[in-house]
Amino acid sequence: MSEEKIVEQAIEWMLQLELPTVSDADRAAFEQWRTADPRHELAYANLTQSVHQFDVPRRLGATTEVLRTTLQQQKDRRKTLRRIAVLAGLGVGAGALINQFTPIRGISADLHTGTGERQTYTLADGSVVTLNARSSADQWIDQSRRLIRLLSGELQIRVAAQALRPFSIETVHGSTGTQSGMLLIRALAERTEVVSLQAFADLATLKGQSARLQPGQHTWFTEDSVASIQANRGTESSWVDGYYTAFDAPLMEVVGALRPYRKGVIRLEPAIAQLRVSGAFPLDDTDHALTALAASLPIAVTRVTPYWVTISALG
């Protein structure tokens, strides 16, 4: 029997056992099903644990009333349980679900932000760093070096001028160095993006490729290469003020900017990921941003709960 079928059976048993009319015979049949196959036991235990993990947002200060109401409505509960099962999987523990509400990776870093947070830090050398939501970085500021290692997310840095100590920002793909001025650095899994706002910046990949940005230019690099250098549009730092500004950008890019600001999951259907979008979207009010996207594109935004949103094609 497939794992998908086993999960479906676990959902049906969970629904049946919560009915006020459940009988001793029903409970005995459930126990027989549960012990008939170790995969049954695992599927039901993980589903139960995953449902209970939605208490996480309450402990983090978010309301769970809408979620609970949805789970208590029998006609919606089967669909909701299926979505929870998809999110949790047969082998995913509570950590993955908790990470949707507060980022586990980087929580022990010197500088870090949670979901929906932006934070500004003044470093020991006078440089000022602003972290975007769900970002983390370590710092080393002493007499011999000025270094930040961006572990995840995005930062804006205004580097204090010190002629004898250049400032370096490292990612898994390489480094960006400058003597002074302002830069944006974004660490993605596949590449590092660099925007020079008011700085001359020297880029170096792990494999030895290099390039220089002048003020008003941006590019990205991987371990192996540096992309072509482009002129800035002038809105690259709008996230610092709480907006994501798109110019004919793919929908997947806009959704990617909203995700760090929403506690929960935004699922985007791949078929519409490349729809083109222009506009300014408020990061601190993702519901408003999602409504604006739905009003301007042929898409449907379905809010299963406040913590699970699906964006799909109309019809």
Side-chain angles (χ1 to χ4, degrees):
M1 184 181 297
S2 70
E3 290 186 345
E4 182 179 354
K5 180 63 175 177
I6 292 173
V7 171
E8 285 290 332
Q9 290 180 349
I11 290 171
E12 293 301 324
W13 277 117
M14 180 172 284
L15 291 169
Q16 184 170 345
L17 292 175
E18 290 178 347
L19 292 174
T21 56
V22 64
S23 66
D24 290 342
D26 292 329
R27 296 186 187 280
F30 164 69
E31 287 300 322
Q32 184 177 4
W33 172 85
R34 185 177 63 83
T35 58
D37 189 321
R39 295 178 299 166
H40 296 179
E41 176 82 37
L42 179 61
Y44 193 82
N46 281 353
L47 181 63
T48 302
Q49 180 187 50
S50 298
V51 172
H52 289 165
Q53 289 306 319
F54 276 96
D55 282 338
V56 169
R58 182 185 61 188
R59 296 199 296 271
L60 296 174
T63 179
T64 59
E65 289 306 311
V66 175
L67 174 67
R68 292 185 182 280
T69 299
T70 301
L71 289 175
Q72 289 164 3
Q73 293 174 355
Q74 192 69 22
K75 66 183 180 67
D76 293 332
R77 186 170 173 81
R78 183 176 283 101
K79 181 185 292 184
T80 302
L81 288 173
R82 284 197 185 103
R83 292 184 181 276
I84 290 173
V86 169
L87 175 62
L90 287 176
V92 176
L97 188 56
I98 294 172
N99 192 58
Q100 299 294 332
F101 298 95
T102 186
I104 296 171
R105 180 186 179 191
I107 199 168
S108 62
D110 296 336
L111 316 173
H112 64 270
T113 53
T115 301
E117 295 180 338
R118 291 183 299 278
Q119 185 71 40
T120 298
Y121 303 87
T122 300
L123 306 183
D125 68 332
S127 299
V128 178
V129 174
T130 299
L131 285 186
N132 204 348
R134 295 179 68 87
S135 300
S136 59
D138 285 328
Q139 60 164 325
W140 292 268
I141 310 293
D142 53 38
Q143 295 302 313
S144 61
R145 61 180 173 172
R146 296 194 294 167
L147 170 65
I148 277 185
R149 183 166 295 137
L150 181 59
L151 305 173
S152 62
E154 185 173 15
L155 65 78
Q156 174 183 278
I157 183 167
R158 185 184 295 275
V159 175
Q162 291 190 11
L164 299 180
R165 288 195 302 165
F167 203 111
S168 182
I169 303 98
E170 293 182 351
T171 70
V172 295
H173 305 112
S175 65
T176 303
T178 188
Q179 294 285 351
S180 64
M182 190 153 62
L183 296 169
L184 289 175
I185 313 288
R186 185 183 183 202
L188 300 172
E190 69 279 7
R191 69 188 191 187
T192 296
E193 298 176 353
V194 184
V195 180
S196 174
L197 300 172
Q198 302 167 1
F200 291 93
D202 295 308
L203 315 181
T205 74
L206 288 182
K207 299 294 181 63
Q209 297 298 308
S210 62
R212 172 167 254 221
L213 289 182
Q214 298 188 32
Q217 295 181 332
H218 67 270
T219 189
W220 54 265
F221 61 88
T222 65
E223 292 184 1
D224 303 301
S225 62
V226 181
S228 61
I229 294 173
Q230 307 289 330
N232 295 347
R233 289 185 176 274
T235 57
E236 285 80 4
S237 62
S238 61
W239 63 263
V240 176
D241 298 316
Y243 285 87
Y244 182 79
T245 304
F247 290 95
D248 195 36
L251 178 59
M252 63 182 296
E253 185 177 295
V254 179
V255 172
L258 296 179
R259 282 186 173 125
Y261 284 85
R262 192 172 185 92
K263 289 177 174 158
V265 175
I266 303 178
R267 181 182 177 277
L268 175 64
E269 285 190 351
I272 59 172
Q274 296 301 322
L275 288 176
R276 311 310 289 186
V277 182
S278 295
F281 301 92
L283 296 172
D284 297 324
D285 187 349
T286 55
D287 277 318
H288 182 86
L290 290 168
T291 299
L293 287 171
S296 59
L297 294 171
I299 62 173
V301 176
T302 304
R303 295 167 174 84
V304 179
T305 79
Y307 309 109
W308 189 291
V309 173
T310 297
I311 304 175
S312 56
L314 277 179

mmCIF file of all heavy atoms in Angstrom, residues 85-112:
data_model
loop_
_atom_site.group_PDB
_atom_site.id
_atom_site.type_symbol
_atom_site.label_atom_id
_atom_site.label_comp_id
_atom_site.label_asym_id
_atom_site.label_seq_id
_atom_site.Cartn_x
_atom_site.Cartn_y
_atom_site.Cartn_z
ATOM 1 N N ALA A 85 -0.924 17.165 6.460
ATOM 2 C CA ALA A 85 -0.154 15.962 6.166
ATOM 3 C C ALA A 85 0.883 16.228 5.086
ATOM 4 O O ALA A 85 2.012 15.742 5.150
ATOM 5 C CB ALA A 85 -1.087 14.831 5.738
ATOM 6 N N VAL A 86 0.508 17.002 4.058
ATOM 7 C CA VAL A 86 1.460 17.362 2.999
ATOM 8 C C VAL A 86 2.612 18.164 3.579
ATOM 9 O O VAL A 86 3.785 17.945 3.262
ATOM 10 C CB VAL A 86 0.759 18.149 1.883
ATOM 11 C CG1 VAL A 86 1.787 18.749 0.923
ATOM 12 C CG2 VAL A 86 -0.194 17.246 1.117
ATOM 13 N N LEU A 87 2.277 19.128 4.454
ATOM 14 C CA LEU A 87 3.314 19.959 5.055
ATOM 15 C C LEU A 87 4.234 19.119 5.939
ATOM 16 O O LEU A 87 5.453 19.250 5.890
ATOM 17 C CB LEU A 87 2.669 21.074 5.898
ATOM 18 C CG LEU A 87 3.618 21.961 6.700
ATOM 19 C CD1 LEU A 87 4.558 22.701 5.747
ATOM 20 C CD2 LEU A 87 2.843 22.947 7.544
ATOM 21 N N ALA A 88 3.649 18.232 6.758
ATOM 22 C CA ALA A 88 4.440 17.473 7.711
ATOM 23 C C ALA A 88 5.160 16.300 7.056
ATOM 24 O O ALA A 88 6.309 16.017 7.366
ATOM 25 C CB ALA A 88 3.538 16.955 8.834
ATOM 26 N N GLY A 89 4.491 15.579 6.124
ATOM 27 C CA GLY A 89 5.062 14.371 5.547
ATOM 28 C C GLY A 89 5.101 13.241 6.559
ATOM 29 O O GLY A 89 4.845 13.418 7.742
ATOM 30 N N LEU A 90 5.407 12.034 6.084
ATOM 31 C CA LEU A 90 5.489 10.902 6.998
ATOM 32 C C LEU A 90 6.754 10.940 7.835
ATOM 33 O O LEU A 90 6.825 10.298 8.864
ATOM 34 C CB LEU A 90 5.435 9.589 6.208
ATOM 35 C CG LEU A 90 4.068 9.229 5.638
ATOM 36 C CD1 LEU A 90 4.176 7.956 4.805
ATOM 37 C CD2 LEU A 90 3.050 9.045 6.747
ATOM 38 N N GLY A 91 7.784 11.665 7.381
ATOM 39 C CA GLY A 91 9.038 11.616 8.115
ATOM 40 C C GLY A 91 9.494 12.949 8.654
ATOM 41 O O GLY A 91 10.613 13.069 9.106
ATOM 42 N N VAL A 92 8.664 13.975 8.607
ATOM 43 C CA VAL A 92 9.078 15.303 9.041
ATOM 44 C C VAL A 92 8.660 15.513 10.483
ATOM 45 O O VAL A 92 7.516 15.266 10.840
ATOM 46 C CB VAL A 92 8.448 16.396 8.157
ATOM 47 C CG1 VAL A 92 8.797 17.780 8.678
ATOM 48 C CG2 VAL A 92 8.960 16.249 6.729
ATOM 49 N N GLY A 93 9.593 15.972 11.305
ATOM 50 C CA GLY A 93 9.279 16.220 12.705
ATOM 51 C C GLY A 93 8.773 17.622 12.936
ATOM 52 O O GLY A 93 8.522 18.392 12.016
ATOM 53 N N ALA A 94 8.629 17.947 14.218
ATOM 54 C CA ALA A 94 8.053 19.248 14.576
ATOM 55 C C ALA A 94 8.940 20.403 14.157
ATOM 56 O O ALA A 94 8.456 21.503 13.897
ATOM 57 C CB ALA A 94 7.835 19.298 16.088
ATOM 58 N N GLY A 95 10.250 20.169 14.048
ATOM 59 C CA GLY A 95 11.158 21.272 13.750
ATOM 60 C C GLY A 95 10.859 21.967 12.450
ATOM 61 O O GLY A 95 10.924 23.190 12.354
ATOM 62 N N ALA A 96 10.508 21.200 11.415
ATOM 63 C CA ALA A 96 10.231 21.799 10.111
ATOM 64 C C ALA A 96 9.008 22.693 10.172
ATOM 65 O O ALA A 96 8.956 23.740 9.529
ATOM 66 C CB ALA A 96 10.015 20.704 9.065
ATOM 67 N N LEU A 97 7.993 22.283 10.936
ATOM 68 C CA LEU A 97 6.792 23.091 11.048
ATOM 69 C C LEU A 97 7.054 24.339 11.862
ATOM 70 O O LEU A 97 6.618 25.439 11.506
ATOM 71 C CB LEU A 97 5.677 22.267 11.682
ATOM 72 C CG LEU A 97 4.289 22.909 11.708
ATOM 73 C CD1 LEU A 97 3.861 23.288 10.292
ATOM 74 C CD2 LEU A 97 3.291 21.958 12.323
ATOM 75 N N ILE A 98 7.784 24.194 12.977
ATOM 76 C CA ILE A 98 8.126 25.357 13.792
ATOM 77 C C ILE A 98 8.901 26.371 12.968
ATOM 78 O O ILE A 98 8.720 27.584 13.102
ATOM 79 C CB ILE A 98 8.946 24.923 15.025
ATOM 80 C CG1 ILE A 98 8.082 24.069 15.954
ATOM 81 C CG2 ILE A 98 9.492 26.129 15.775
ATOM 82 C CD1 ILE A 98 8.842 23.437 17.087
ATOM 83 N N ASN A 99 9.766 25.870 12.069
ATOM 84 C CA ASN A 99 10.583 26.768 11.261
ATOM 85 C C ASN A 99 9.746 27.654 10.347
ATOM 86 O O ASN A 99 10.208 28.703 9.905
ATOM 87 C CB ASN A 99 11.580 25.958 10.428
ATOM 88 C CG ASN A 99 12.632 26.835 9.797
ATOM 89 O OD1 ASN A 99 13.347 27.542 10.491
ATOM 90 N ND2 ASN A 99 12.730 26.793 8.483
ATOM 91 N N GLN A 100 8.504 27.275 10.050
ATOM 92 C CA GLN A 100 7.635 28.128 9.255
ATOM 93 C C GLN A 100 7.253 29.384 10.019
ATOM 94 O O GLN A 100 6.860 30.397 9.441
ATOM 95 C CB GLN A 100 6.355 27.372 8.854
ATOM 96 C CG GLN A 100 6.607 26.146 8.014
ATOM 97 C CD GLN A 100 7.178 26.493 6.650
ATOM 98 O OE1 GLN A 100 6.944 27.555 6.106
ATOM 99 N NE2 GLN A 100 7.930 25.575 6.097
ATOM 100 N N PHE A 101 7.329 29.335 11.353
ATOM 101 C CA PHE A 101 6.915 30.466 12.172
ATOM 102 C C PHE A 101 8.102 31.258 12.702
ATOM 103 O O PHE A 101 8.038 32.471 12.824
ATOM 104 C CB PHE A 101 6.052 29.969 13.345
ATOM 105 C CG PHE A 101 4.795 29.299 12.891
ATOM 106 C CD1 PHE A 101 4.738 27.921 12.757
ATOM 107 C CD2 PHE A 101 3.681 30.034 12.568
ATOM 108 C CE1 PHE A 101 3.589 27.294 12.323
ATOM 109 C CE2 PHE A 101 2.528 29.418 12.119
ATOM 110 C CZ PHE A 101 2.481 28.040 12.002
ATOM 111 N N THR A 102 9.160 30.577 13.042
ATOM 112 C CA THR A 102 10.371 31.272 13.480
ATOM 113 C C THR A 102 11.564 30.517 12.919
ATOM 114 O O THR A 102 11.638 29.293 13.047
ATOM 115 C CB THR A 102 10.456 31.365 15.021
ATOM 116 O OG1 THR A 102 11.577 32.165 15.389
ATOM 117 C CG2 THR A 102 10.571 30.010 15.665
ATOM 118 N N PRO A 103 12.514 31.189 12.246
ATOM 119 C CA PRO A 103 13.596 30.474 11.572
ATOM 120 C C PRO A 103 14.540 29.816 12.556
ATOM 121 O O PRO A 103 15.098 30.463 13.438
ATOM 122 C CB PRO A 103 14.299 31.580 10.771
ATOM 123 C CG PRO A 103 13.917 32.857 11.442
ATOM 124 C CD PRO A 103 12.562 32.635 12.022
ATOM 125 N N ILE A 104 14.705 28.496 12.410
ATOM 126 C CA ILE A 104 15.602 27.759 13.291
ATOM 127 C C ILE A 104 17.051 27.986 12.878
ATOM 128 O O ILE A 104 17.923 28.225 13.710
ATOM 129 C CB ILE A 104 15.256 26.261 13.257
ATOM 130 C CG1 ILE A 104 13.857 26.042 13.826
ATOM 131 C CG2 ILE A 104 16.284 25.439 14.026
ATOM 132 C CD1 ILE A 104 13.341 24.641 13.650
ATOM 133 N N ARG A 105 17.282 27.951 11.566
ATOM 134 C CA ARG A 105 18.638 28.184 11.072
ATOM 135 C C ARG A 105 19.056 29.618 11.395
ATOM 136 O O ARG A 105 18.346 30.569 11.134
ATOM 137 C CB ARG A 105 18.690 27.966 9.566
ATOM 138 C CG ARG A 105 20.078 28.195 8.983
ATOM 139 C CD ARG A 105 20.063 28.105 7.469
ATOM 140 N NE ARG A 105 21.387 28.352 6.925
ATOM 141 C CZ ARG A 105 21.646 28.539 5.644
ATOM 142 N NH1 ARG A 105 20.664 28.469 4.768
ATOM 143 N NH2 ARG A 105 22.874 28.757 5.222
ATOM 144 N N GLY A 106 20.224 29.767 12.001
ATOM 145 C CA GLY A 106 20.744 31.093 12.281
ATOM 146 C C GLY A 106 20.285 31.694 13.583
ATOM 147 O O GLY A 106 20.671 32.819 13.909
ATOM 148 N N ILE A 107 19.468 30.951 14.381
ATOM 149 C CA ILE A 107 18.945 31.549 15.605
ATOM 150 C C ILE A 107 20.056 31.821 16.612
ATOM 151 O O ILE A 107 19.929 32.663 17.489
ATOM 152 C CB ILE A 107 17.847 30.650 16.214
ATOM 153 C CG1 ILE A 107 16.982 31.453 17.187
ATOM 154 C CG2 ILE A 107 18.446 29.411 16.865
ATOM 155 C CD1 ILE A 107 15.722 30.750 17.605
ATOM 156 N N SER A 108 21.189 31.101 16.475
ATOM 157 C CA SER A 108 22.322 31.328 17.375
ATOM 158 C C SER A 108 23.356 32.279 16.786
ATOM 159 O O SER A 108 24.413 32.492 17.385
ATOM 160 C CB SER A 108 22.987 29.984 17.713
ATOM 161 O OG SER A 108 23.492 29.368 16.542
ATOM 162 N N ALA A 109 23.066 32.864 15.617
ATOM 163 C CA ALA A 109 24.017 33.789 14.975
ATOM 164 C C ALA A 109 24.124 35.089 15.769
ATOM 165 O O ALA A 109 23.236 35.443 16.557
ATOM 166 C CB ALA A 109 23.576 34.087 13.552
ATOM 167 N N ASP A 110 25.206 35.820 15.553
ATOM 168 C CA ASP A 110 25.401 37.097 16.246
ATOM 169 C C ASP A 110 24.260 38.067 15.956
ATOM 170 O O ASP A 110 23.794 38.779 16.852
ATOM 171 C CB ASP A 110 26.728 37.733 15.811
ATOM 172 C CG ASP A 110 27.936 36.893 16.199
ATOM 173 O OD1 ASP A 110 27.825 36.100 17.153
ATOM 174 O OD2 ASP A 110 28.985 37.028 15.547
ATOM 175 N N LEU A 111 23.843 38.116 14.711
ATOM 176 C CA LEU A 111 22.765 38.998 14.283
ATOM 177 C C LEU A 111 21.706 38.141 13.604
ATOM 178 O O LEU A 111 22.031 37.344 12.730
ATOM 179 C CB LEU A 111 23.279 40.060 13.294
ATOM 180 C CG LEU A 111 24.599 40.763 13.620
ATOM 181 C CD1 LEU A 111 25.028 41.652 12.451
ATOM 182 C CD2 LEU A 111 24.483 41.575 14.896
ATOM 183 N N HIS A 112 20.459 38.286 13.994
ATOM 184 C CA HIS A 112 19.420 37.492 13.335
ATOM 185 C C HIS A 112 18.053 38.152 13.514
ATOM 186 O O HIS A 112 17.830 38.907 14.458
ATOM 187 C CB HIS A 112 19.397 36.057 13.853
ATOM 188 C CG HIS A 112 19.045 35.936 15.313
ATOM 189 N ND1 HIS A 112 19.990 35.950 16.297
ATOM 190 C CD2 HIS A 112 17.854 35.805 15.935
ATOM 191 C CE1 HIS A 112 19.407 35.836 17.468
ATOM 192 N NE2 HIS A 112 18.107 35.752 17.287
#
